[in-house]
Amino acid sequence: MELQAVLMAAGGGSRMPDLTYNTPKPMLPVGNKPLMWHPLNLLERVGFEEVIVITTKEVQKMMSTDPKMKDVKMKLDVVCIQEDGDMGTADALRHIQQKIKTDVLVVSCDLITDVALHEVVDLFRAHNATLAMLMSKAHDFTETVPGQKGKKKTGEQRDFVGVDQSGKRLLFMANEADLEDGLSIRKSIMRKHPRMHIKTGLVDAHLYCLKKAVVDFLADNKSISSIRGELLPYLVRKQFSKTTNCPKSKDDADDQTQKTADGSTNSTELLICSRDEPLLQLAQERSCWNDHRGDMSEAYHGGKLRCYVHIMDQGLCYRVNTLAAYIEANRLASKLLEEPAVHPSAVISERCQMGPDSIIGAQCQVADKTSIKRSTIGNSTTVKEKVKVTNSIIMHGVTIEEGCNIHGCVICSNAVIGRGADLKYCLVGNGQQIEAEAERTNEVIVGTDQLMEI
Amino acid sequence: KEEKQRLRKEKKQQKKNKEKNDEKTSHEEQPAGSASQPPAQPSPKAVPVPASEAPAPADKPAKSKADLKAERRARQEAERASKGKKGDVGQPAPTGKLKAPPSELQPVVKRLPEHVQVDNPEVVKKLAKKLERQQIPLRSDYGYKVSLFSHLHQYSRKAPLTQQLGIPSTVIHPAIVRLGLQYSQGIVAGSNARSVALLHAFQQVIRDYTTPPNEELSRDLVNKLKPYISFLNQCRPLSASMGNAIKYIKKEISNIPSQCKEEEAKIKLLNCIERYINEKIVLAAKAIAKYSIEKISDGDVILFPPNCSFNVTISTSISSSLVNHILCEAFEKKRKFRVIVVDSRPRLEGREALRRLVQKGISCTYVLISAVSYILPEVSKVFLGAHALLANGYVMSRVGTSQIALVAKAFNVPVLVCCETYKFCERVQTDSFVSNELDDPDDLIVTRKGKTQLEHWQKVPSLGLLNLVYDVTPPDFVDLVITDLGMIPCTSVPVVLRVKNVDQ
């Protein structure tokens, strides 16, 4: 078996609390399908037959009842972890270390993309890389986000990613938060790769191919808790550290004197240097190929740890972890799905004007003289007469009474919008009720239990 | 082609005749007696065959192995008898007559390999069907092919075969997928490197192999390897050295006795592979280096005269792994010489060769192939590496080699070819057109100062880009071939092949 897929679906959605306080993030509907269906669909299309899903008990319960999840033909091996425990992604990998038998493909549940996955995996295979990841050029979100007062925060921590001239080899990765007074790059990197392109406008798709040795390394190093935050920068740094480059024999006396932190490096290395190395070395010696030119060193500078990145510049790639991303993803979901936009079981009256970009879920009832444009309407929603819905996301079980005007809103499940209400850029929480003739603009309407206690 | 069609027609007619004869003949004696019947009967060939076949379907389960063997023997004798007979009478006459000439022609008609028949749609269809059966995707040709070479495949590097494979590849072993990718992207290039990497991947395949129940390892493993080899062929056409290595492995696998336990068999095979690499590649390189070092000092007028302290050799960039090795060894033995590395676009493999020589401390000069006639007066010897040595003494190597050999001949500079014996191949070729490899034409596109002139070459209808990989050098231009068996002239290659075959 070549690769095992692991789906991380235990995240809390901490950046969109209004949406996730009732529905866990992996089950939020995007294009009327649960969010985690999208990466699972990607894996299925590519040819995976089994996926290990790491999630919470709540999500597992919801998964078993959701009809859309039954569409997934792959075998899902669900591993539950505690929700309140502070488990990072790396901790979760450590938790399932026993199940991992080969190299691993880690995907986050909030990734919606149409990337050709073989591009990432080919980098992993061809260069015998330790890490291969996917990144994409960030798109600006153009839709107005409900409840956002004032300009968009630009204080978002930027990621600095350094790649080599070919754009494939990952040389440097750091988050603005970790850099105190400036970006410092080691001389050893500059000596080996004199040309480096540093990019900041990239979105990390959180799709990683990792060698099995890395998972074993994690098991030994319990201090690493997040893949993105700690493991990746560590691996990228270790590409150029002295210990990985010196030719080693298996029993080096120097190793014993090093600290345990470095000792773990050696174990990674020893794991990476498999027993087959001599033949591969021979093949590489005889092969007249080098990944760089201009200096005297051999291919890959003799380094055994290599990290690669595939940067998408075309195509969809979204990480749905903020409200803005969620709205944007819903807008484009219709492009990704192959199913017809209007579910066959929905009852739509003939005098309704429906735009082509709208998605209507199952068992909906849409009455006369309504106009639905560029919106997503969930299952079992009732829309009464003379309602105008534009640019909105309406989840399941919502009732919208007559004469409402809903523009640019996100309305969560089981909400009731009273008659004649006029909502612009609002976010209506789960189960909320908007009174009749209400006029709300740019507000977040959630239940009192969600408000902070002082 | 015509002969093939004729053969096909004859076979069809044979079948028809056999059916008719089945109805006609009565049950005859079992095949043991029929051997004597053919000469007596007017229809020698056709009848005994259907005779043995008519009762055959009837009481198949009752037949024992001995009977079937006897049947086959009788059939063969009948065929042999019919070969001598001429002018048969009666209805089976056409069968008999037609049988005679094809059996004479049989040894002459040879099947052309499919990779040189790309412009024949039937062959392409057959290949597609074969790949479908093995569940391997077919790689489609790319771009306009120059008409002289339209019988060869031309693939694009940007469309890897893995696009059409599922990601956790289940049909093909992951080590083979990795190898195929490395071949098609050029990460593993050069015939030695490719063979070593191939054997390494086979080692992994053998390690992960488990015999399914009711199957024999010797037969099943060979069948398992066939789709892998087709896959690698699709990624990049197999080289002669790889072909020989595969033949060796298949032979070793089929020679495993059936009572051998699986673990033992696997260990045996892994050891065979190690031994093969050690003998044919590593030790051969050492032997060739030893012989060549003699040659580098021989005729070395330079060692003595005081004014000129250098003996000059010239090396090209093809298959430079072996020549590199030789030059490095020679340098370590304290021979004084200077190297000129000749390089050519688009691969520019000479840069890597240059790096390795300079790293050792050898003083080198670097030229492109267009400067060969300018630099040759300075040169005392030419060392070439080979991709394969053909049975008629021709040397198959990177494109540009024959040009260098020609120019060297014109300047009376000795040309030495270094080649291990496992690269000797039974093919015969006198020109570079018949069987070659077409590389990605987009490699020829170069961007200078931000401008890419050939960017839209596909839109120009009369423009074709040709990126040839190999060419053949006639033996008149080659003075000596240095192999691990010693220093032989080019024309002794068929002798070596014959000796090798006898050994095996």
Side-chain angles (χ1 to χ4, degrees):
Chain A
M1 226 201 335
E2 190 185 0
L3 275 182
Q4 267 177 297
V6 175
L7 183 72
M8 299 280 186
S14 49
R15 275 184 262 188
M16 18 188 214
D18 312 315
L19 287 177
T20 53
Y21 72 84
N22 208 325
T23 333
K25 186 174 86 161
M27 299 306 285
L28 279 179
V30 171
N32 282 343
K33 297 216 197 284
L35 182 56
M36 62 194 291
W37 180 89
H38 291 270
L40 285 176
N41 187 30
L42 173 71
L43 292 173
E44 189 173 347
R45 257 184 297 136
V46 159
F48 276 96
E49 288 169 353
E50 288 186 7
V51 181
I52 302 177
V53 180
I54 303 182
T55 181
T56 57
K57 284 209 175 42
E58 203 188 326
V59 175
Q60 188 187 21
K61 250 189 288 169
M62 291 183 75
M63 263 172 66
S64 48
T65 53
D66 193 318
K68 295 279 170 26
M69 294 300 288
K70 301 221 180 4
D71 282 341
V72 175
K73 294 187 197 61
M74 303 185 288
K75 188 165 94 82
L76 298 177
D77 182 7
V78 183
V79 172
C80 289
I81 57 171
Q82 297 288 34
E83 181 173 322
D84 46 352
D86 236 344
M87 249 198 175
T89 37
D91 296 326
L93 261 191
R94 199 177 301 131
H95 186 76
I96 54 166
Q97 194 225 350
Q98 301 301 322
K99 293 191 189 241
I100 306 278
K101 309 263 182 297
T102 101
D103 301 336
V104 116
L105 175 68
V106 178
V107 189
S108 168
C109 67
D110 54 9
L111 174 68
I112 298 186
T113 178
D114 62 351
V115 71
L117 208 53
H118 75 91
E119 308 246 3
V120 180
V121 182
D122 278 352
L123 282 175
F124 184 68
R125 289 167 177 153
H127 299 275
N128 211 5
T130 314
L131 162 73
M133 56 187 287
L134 175 67
M135 283 194 150
S136 159
K137 291 213 162 56
H139 307 273
D140 278 329
F141 299 130
T142 47
E143 307 282 340
T144 329
V145 178
Q148 203 164 56
K149 300 178 167 56
K151 280 206 284 211
K152 258 204 257 202
K153 298 183 284 186
T154 45
E156 283 268 332
Q157 307 274 295
R158 287 181 296 178
D159 272 327
F160 292 93
V161 177
V163 290
D164 77 339
Q165 231 176 333
S166 68
K168 298 274 170 197
R169 180 93 190 261
L170 191 53
L171 302 175
F172 180 77
M173 181 188 273
N175 193 293
E176 198 170 346
D178 300 327
L179 306 169
E180 281 118 44
D181 44 347
L183 198 73
S184 53
I185 301 184
R186 295 163 71 166
K187 261 203 209 155
S188 55
I189 306 181
M190 293 306 288
R191 230 178 278 133
K192 292 179 185 157
H193 298 268
R195 284 210 170 179
M196 175 162 37
H197 297 267
I198 300 195
K199 304 184 190 238
T200 49
L202 291 180
V203 166
D204 180 358
H206 212 288
L207 188 145
Y208 312 116
C209 282
L210 294 167
K211 263 215 160 93
K212 179 168 182 304
V214 177
V215 180
D216 297 335
F217 165 72
L218 274 183
D220 294 332
N221 284 56
K222 305 217 190 296
S223 59
I224 297 187
S225 72
S226 154
I227 295 185
R228 177 70 182 81
E230 289 163 44
L231 183 62
L232 285 197
Y234 177 79
L235 285 177
V236 174
R237 263 199 324 266
K238 271 291 169 232
Q239 281 181 103
F240 302 104
S241 85
K242 287 212 193 86
T243 42
T244 43
N245 288 336
C246 301
K248 304 175 76 83
S249 56
K250 298 248 159 128
D251 40 3
D252 249 343
D254 308 342
D255 292 359
Q256 270 104 40
T257 57
Q258 286 173 356
K259 294 181 286 199
T260 41
D262 284 30
S264 54
T265 325
N266 299 332
S267 63
T268 325
E269 267 192 80
L270 296 177
L271 292 164
I272 292 174
C273 303
S274 66
R275 66 216 142 147
D276 286 322
E277 275 306 307
L279 270 192
L280 278 184
Q281 269 305 72
L282 182 64
Q284 204 162 54
E285 274 170 41
R286 296 305 173 95
S287 167
C288 43
W289 177 85
N290 205 325
D291 66 329
H292 64 95
R293 56 188 176 89
D295 69 356
M296 277 292 148
S297 45
E298 48 181 6
Y300 305 128
H301 300 279
K304 301 246 176 6
L305 220 172
R306 303 185 270 275
C307 299
Y308 283 85
V309 63
H310 172 69
I311 302 183
M312 276 171 79
D313 38 356
Q314 289 163 346
L316 286 175
C317 180
Y318 287 105
R319 284 218 46 221
V320 180
N321 50 8
T322 58
L323 193 50
Y326 178 72
I327 295 177
E328 185 84 12
N330 258 303
R331 200 73 64 232
L332 296 164
S334 51
K335 282 199 209 132
L336 277 179
L337 301 176
E338 297 138 11
E339 295 174 358
V342 178
H343 200 274
S345 67
V347 173
I348 306 201
S349 92
E350 277 153 19
R351 303 239 295 258
C352 152
Q353 282 179 343
M354 235 192 43
D357 318 2
S358 304
I359 303 180
I360 313 268
Q363 275 126 31
C364 274
Q365 286 184 344
V366 179
D368 302 340
K369 295 199 198 135
T370 50
S371 150
I372 301 180
K373 296 205 169 65
R374 302 186 73 212
S375 301
T376 311
I377 303 201
N379 304 336
S380 316
T381 306
T382 315
V383 179
K384 301 258 169 75
E385 292 92 3
K386 294 203 199 115
V387 170
K388 262 190 8 187
V389 179
T390 19
N391 272 357
S392 300
I393 300 169
I394 304 186
M395 297 197 201
H396 313 301
V398 173
T399 313
I400 305 182
E401 305 284 346
E402 293 117 18
C404 285
N405 192 343
I406 302 182
H407 183 82
C409 294
V410 177
I411 302 185
C412 297
S413 312
N414 303 321
V416 176
I417 314 289
R419 179 187 296 213
D422 186 6
L423 299 171
K424 285 196 182 39
Y425 304 118
C426 289
L427 191 150
V428 179
N430 214 300
Q432 295 302 305
Q433 289 199 345
I434 308 288
E435 61 276 8
E437 308 293 336
E439 270 191 29
R440 308 286 186 101
T441 312
N442 214 352
E443 278 185 36
V444 175
I445 303 154
V446 290
T448 45
D449 52 338
Q450 274 310 294
L451 298 172
M452 276 199 307
E453 291 187 352
I454 302 174
Chain B
K1 241 197 241 173
E2 292 175 35
E3 287 170 338
K4 262 193 268 175
Q5 285 179 344
R6 215 188 328 146
L7 275 175
R8 250 181 264 144
K9 268 191 233 153
E10 288 149 17
K11 279 197 195 140
K12 270 195 221 154
Q13 273 199 311
Q14 263 188 340
K15 275 199 202 149
K16 273 192 236 154
N17 289 328
K18 272 191 213 161
E19 288 169 9
K20 287 195 201 147
N21 281 332
D22 271 344
E23 301 163 14
K24 271 205 300 185
T25 40
S26 52
H27 283 263
E28 302 206 28
E29 281 292 298
Q30 276 308 312
S34 63
S36 51
Q37 292 174 359
Q41 295 196 341
S43 52
K45 171 76 194 58
V47 175
V49 171
S52 42
E53 278 179 8
D59 36 348
K60 240 189 187 126
K63 280 255 178 67
S64 67
K65 234 184 181 178
D67 288 338
L68 286 169
K69 266 202 188 153
E71 259 180 34
R72 245 180 280 140
R73 233 181 288 136
R75 224 181 295 157
Q76 283 173 351
E77 286 176 32
E79 278 180 36
R80 246 177 274 140
S82 74
K83 257 201 235 177
K85 256 220 164 162
K86 286 201 179 151
D88 293 307
V89 289
Q91 209 244 359
T95 344
K97 225 201 299 180
L98 288 166
K99 232 345 181 170
S103 43
E104 289 166 16
L105 287 170
Q106 211 87 18
V108 175
V109 171
K110 282 226 156 80
R111 265 198 338 221
L112 284 171
E114 69 82 24
H115 70 270
V116 296
Q117 286 189 289
V118 174
D119 52 353
N120 186 350
E122 287 180 12
V123 174
V124 175
K125 245 192 279 174
K126 253 210 270 177
L127 172 70
K129 261 198 239 155
K130 175 176 126 184
L131 289 178
E132 216 180 332
R133 237 185 317 130
Q134 294 174 334
Q135 293 177 291
I136 293 170
L138 176 69
R139 199 167 180 196
S140 44
D141 284 351
Y142 166 75
Y144 169 71
K145 282 193 265 190
V146 173
S147 62
L148 269 176
F149 293 94
S150 58
H151 61 283
L152 298 168
H153 284 292
Q154 181 170 282
Y155 300 127
S156 165
R157 200 157 293 146
K158 290 199 204 83
L161 203 52
T162 49
Q163 226 171 8
Q164 301 155 40
L165 277 180
I167 291 267
S169 60
T170 38
V171 175
I172 303 178
H173 192 275
I176 303 275
V177 177
R178 188 175 303 154
L179 189 64
L181 260 181
Q182 289 178 329
Y183 282 165
S184 64
Q185 291 184 1
I187 294 175
V188 175
S191 62
N192 276 341
R194 282 166 75 185
S195 312
V196 172
L198 175 74
L199 290 170
H200 166 77
F202 276 173
Q203 269 191 336
Q204 286 185 298
V205 169
I206 291 175
R207 253 187 225 119
D208 295 339
Y209 171 78
T210 45
T211 325
N214 305 334
E215 293 278 352
E216 264 190 41
L217 182 136
S218 56
R219 251 171 278 149
D220 189 58
L221 187 53
V222 176
N223 285 339
K224 271 260 160 53
L225 288 181
K226 284 205 186 120
Y228 299 164
I229 295 168
S230 308
F231 174 74
L232 291 176
N233 207 359
Q234 287 286 295
C235 288
R236 195 176 159 193
L238 295 180
S239 66
S241 52
M242 286 166 70
N244 286 343
I246 291 174
K247 259 192 244 164
Y248 173 77
I249 293 224
K250 281 194 180 164
K251 197 180 67 96
E252 287 295 315
I253 296 178
S254 359
N255 281 350
I256 298 233
S258 44
Q259 61 267 29
C260 194
K261 273 199 289 223
E262 186 176 319
E263 279 311 310
E264 283 178 35
K266 282 208 238 183
I267 294 176
K268 199 156 149 231
L269 285 174
L270 294 175
N271 284 339
C272 276
I273 293 182
E274 290 275 354
R275 221 183 29 234
Y276 185 82
I277 293 180
N278 212 14
E279 280 173 25
K280 307 274 180 182
I281 301 180
V282 178
L283 289 179
K286 287 203 186 125
I288 295 180
K290 196 169 66 116
Y291 289 124
S292 329
I293 286 170
E294 294 170 28
K295 278 296 167 193
I296 289 183
S297 70
D298 253 351
D300 188 350
V301 180
I302 316 301
L303 274 182
F304 307 109
N307 44 350
C308 183
S309 54
F310 295 115
N311 169 16
V312 176
T313 58
I314 184 172
S315 89
T316 58
S317 55
I318 24 86
S319 198
S320 54
S321 62
L322 189 52
V323 180
N324 257 332
H325 184 81
I326 292 169
L327 294 174
C328 296
E329 291 273 309
F331 189 73
E332 272 167 38
K333 294 257 178 358
K334 309 280 189 271
R335 298 266 185 272
K336 299 246 182 312
F337 58 96
R338 186 162 72 89
V339 178
I340 301 181
V341 178
V342 177
D343 203 2
S344 71
R345 274 193 69 225
R347 287 186 175 227
L348 292 171
E349 289 164 343
R351 293 186 295 195
E352 180 61 17
L354 184 67
R355 176 189 74 80
R356 290 185 195 178
L357 292 174
V358 174
Q359 203 178 26
K360 287 276 172 168
I362 303 175
S363 56
C364 301
T365 309
Y366 178 85
V367 293
L368 286 182
I369 196 169
S370 36
V372 153
S373 54
Y374 171 78
I375 205 126
L376 251 160
E378 292 179 21
V379 171
S380 64
K381 286 191 188 63
V382 177
F383 269 89
L384 299 177
H387 171 85
L389 236 58
L390 304 175
N392 56 349
Y394 279 64
V395 177
M396 182 179 211
S397 190
R398 275 270 185 269
V399 70
T401 311
S402 65
Q403 193 174 20
I404 293 177
L406 176 66
V407 180
K409 185 81 179 177
F411 278 92
N412 285 323
V413 174
V415 174
L416 293 89
V417 170
C418 308
C419 182
E420 298 100 332
T421 44
Y422 85 107
K423 288 188 195 157
F424 285 16
C425 149
E426 278 159 30
R427 237 176 23 202
V428 170
Q429 243 181 279
T430 52
D431 60 56
S432 323
F433 295 91
V434 146
S435 171
N436 208 324
E437 187 185 330
L438 292 179
D439 208 359
D440 190 352
D442 289 339
D443 283 350
L444 293 174
I445 300 176
V446 70
T447 307
R448 290 212 177 93
K449 296 191 187 160
K451 275 199 274 198
T452 319
Q453 305 286 12
L454 285 173
E455 200 169 351
H456 305 289
W457 68 274
Q458 307 231 34
K459 298 207 182 105
V460 182
S462 51
L463 179 64
L465 292 188
L466 181 64
N467 192 355
L468 274 182
V469 181
Y470 299 119
D471 72 4
V472 282
T473 311
D476 343 330
F477 297 152
V478 176
D479 294 308
L480 194 64
V481 177
I482 306 179
T483 69
D484 39 323
L485 292 175
M487 297 192 262
I488 59 178
C490 238
T491 43
S492 308
V493 170
V495 177
V496 173
L497 277 175
R498 202 176 44 214
V499 169
K500 247 195 340 174
N501 283 341
V502 165
D503 280 344
Q504 288 174 359

